[in-house]
Amino acid sequence: NWNYNGYVFSETTARSIIDSLVVNGNLYKKMHEVVTPGAVQDLFFRKQGDNYYEYGNAEKYTTTVIYNPVVTAAINFLKEYITTGLDWYSDLYTGHATFGQDVNLRYHFTCLEADVSAVVNNKAFVHVYKVSLVPQLAAAGLLPGNTHENYIFWYAKGIGLIYSSFSSFQINNWIVF
């Protein structure tokens, strides 16, 4: 179980692995997320080799576009044994946006710091990887460029997500059971 508290909003997010599910021939761990007050959702994660994937809506990490109909994707959000400066791209996703245009989307990931120590909410972690995610967008047929968005995720080896930031959202407390 993972519990997170937000700095800006009075909310608590609790995540628990509750099941597994096969999607497109791949076995995913099903993680149940409850945001109080707010919403409930299920998230799907898998590891293949040195790569970690999340299965869900392709536009999950951007506020710039919403696809209709829904485009689902396995997003390679993290890798093992990465080094500072290493970058990678997600696959290119194409869909029809709610504003009426066909749009290409991909994510550019960069390892900002590798295998460092970090303190989050007065808790020390070792083997932390800080990863930047920048959504890139363009009209279908064109190469995507950066949006104004930049997500930062901190992952501790053997634990998972310990911190994230985007604009005013930050995790300030966690509890691992």
Side-chain angles (χ1 to χ4, degrees):
N1 290 331
W2 293 264
N3 290 326
Y4 305 100
N5 292 327
Y7 275 126
V8 176
F9 304 106
S10 57
E11 66 182 34
T12 299
T13 302
R15 292 179 168 179
S16 302
I17 296 173
I18 60 169
D19 202 353
S20 58
L21 177 73
V22 175
V23 178
N24 298 328
N26 295 302
L27 181 63
Y28 287 86
K29 296 289 184 186
K30 182 178 181 179
M31 183 176 281
H32 189 67
E33 178 180 81
V34 178
V35 179
T36 306
V40 174
Q41 68 175 334
D42 290 325
L43 307 169
F44 303 93
F45 298 97
R46 72 178 164 95
K47 181 181 178 201
Q48 181 177 349
D50 292 336
N51 298 301
Y52 293 86
Y53 296 88
E54 180 175 8
Y55 181 80
N57 290 358
E59 77 276 14
K60 147 173 210 123
Y61 292 109
T62 183
T63 59
T64 309
V65 66
I66 298 172
Y67 288 134
N68 187 13
V70 170
V71 174
T72 55
I75 301 169
N76 180 199
F77 67 93
L78 184 62
K79 297 173 174 280
E80 289 205 4
Y81 311 111
I82 56 178
T83 56
T84 300
L86 180 77
D87 69 335
W88 68 97
Y89 293 88
S90 70
D91 291 338
L92 185 67
Y93 315 114
T94 302
H96 190 75
T98 54
F99 52 79
Q101 184 177 1
D102 288 342
V103 174
N104 286 341
L105 169 67
R106 73 178 177 189
Y107 299 107
H108 182 206
F109 297 89
T110 304
C111 178
L112 302 176
E113 294 185 64
D115 202 19
V116 297
S117 299
V119 176
V120 176
N121 196 34
N122 296 319
K123 307 293 183 204
F125 296 91
V126 295
H127 306 297
V128 173
Y129 296 83
K130 299 177 183 180
V131 177
S132 167
L133 177 160
V134 176
Q136 297 184 326
L137 198 64
L142 300 175
L143 285 177
N146 293 349
T147 67
H148 63 282
E149 301 161 292
N150 187 12
Y151 295 81
I152 307 295
F153 298 104
W154 297 9
Y155 301 97
K157 188 171 184 149
I159 295 173
L161 181 68
I162 60 168
Y163 177 87
S164 71
S165 66
F166 172 74
S167 297
S168 60
F169 174 75
Q170 296 179 338
I171 297 169
N172 71 350
N173 194 6
W174 61 272
I175 301 172
V176 179
F177 296 96

